[in-house]
Amino acid sequence: MTGGAPGGPQEAEAVVVGAGQAGLSAAWHLRRLGLVPGTDAVVLDRGPAPGGAWQFRWEALRLDDAHKVDDLPGMREIGLSFATADGDRPARDVVREYYDRYERAFDLRVRRPVEVTAVREAGDGRLRVETDRGALLTRALVNASGTWARPFRPYFAGAADFRGVQVSTPQYRSARDFAGLRVAVVGGGTSATGFLHELEGVAASTVWVTRRPVRFTDDPGAGVAAVRRADEAARAGRPLPSISSGTGLPATPRNLAAVERGLLVARPMFAAVEPDGLRWADGTFEPVDAIIWATGFRAELTHLAPLGLREPGGGVRVEQGRSVRDPRVFLAGYGPQASTIGANRAGRTVARQVVEYLRGAPAAA
């Protein structure tokens, strides 16, 4: 990387935004393909420490069948594997430690904390990446910013007048914060079921509410179908569907036992939120003191808004991890690549395309 004109923005061949699973995978592959970390390929991360979004997750979360992390490329070369990680330690601590060791072992030179505020046309064929630490000019951008910063909370009449506590998934810290409270958990994914498990015996009561009927399954084909639907949406530029809505929830012994004792038995979505609880369309009322909105996330793409990548339907058209509207922009960990194994594969696919683009050759299909 060069400094550019005196007092002007720095320059790099490629900039990677985000140092979670997809960002680190892309950075590793870019290094393997010849781009020098910190010079040719610059990785920017808004987190205060390594670990991606995992560093912000709640205390009780552990690496288990429902919350897995696949190994980063090259991780086993340095004697690390999540398959043998200590399952008794908080997941956030394990991932933070492993990612830190990984970044140092491969000298990826991640810059943090750096907040990317906007990506714009530079006027000379390059992109201008604006951050709270200055600007960079780059020929290619790998966006791996994930979803953690954009939790989705659906609109419900009366929610603003609720007198209790309302939090989204990123704000949840510990079941202790809800001790003795009547808690509603809204959402049909693994975070919601995890919260219900943790709240059992701590909260005064829990009620689980989901938009769709809950399905517990160990069908390995469900995940493939869900990824296919996400890929179709990304290619068409439509808003991305929820992966968990297509895969169902894991039919682990723990979950199935919780169904039997009534903990993981969902009610259909309520019609309105009232100051002291939830009201269903049939008139029934559930008094609650707190609502945990475990209702998913949206891709964090707001900093890309100046490039006008969105389609009329609201999504971004992406094929093989590359923006259709702007071939300089690559999206790793987006849509069908959101799982950790998908993010790893995306890092490899995107890195190869970036290098081919930089060399002036057509991108691989």
Side-chain angles (χ1 to χ4, degrees), residues 128-148:
R128 179 184 174 90
V129 183
E130 298 177 355
T131 82
D132 59 354
R133 300 289 185 91
L136 299 91
L137 295 176
T138 186
R139 293 175 59 200
L141 181 91
V142 178
N143 192 79
S145 51
T147 62
W148 188 255

Side-chain angles (χ1 to χ4, degrees), residues 47-130:
W54 284 92
Q55 67 188 284
F56 303 112
R57 303 211 178 190
W58 53 100
E59 177 185 349
L61 186 64
R62 299 294 188 269
L63 296 178
D64 55 25
D65 291 338
H67 297 91
K68 292 182 178 179
V69 183
D70 278 80
D71 290 346
L72 289 163
M75 183 174 273
R76 298 198 181 198
E77 297 174 18
I78 58 174
L80 294 177
S81 175
F82 287 113
T84 56
D86 185 352
D88 293 329
R89 294 179 60 200
R92 63 188 184 189
D93 295 343
V94 175
V95 178
R96 184 166 52 215
E97 176 188 322
Y98 280 27
Y99 280 17
D100 178 51
R101 292 169 63 181
Y102 183 86
E103 290 178 15
R104 288 188 285 109
F106 292 108
D107 193 29
L108 297 181
R109 304 191 183 187
V110 178
R111 300 182 183 185
R112 61 168 58 89
V114 178
E115 182 77 25
V116 175
T117 55
V119 181
R120 308 179 189 277
E121 290 284 352
D124 60 359
R126 293 181 294 178
L127 296 168
R128 179 184 174 90
V129 183
E130 298 177 355

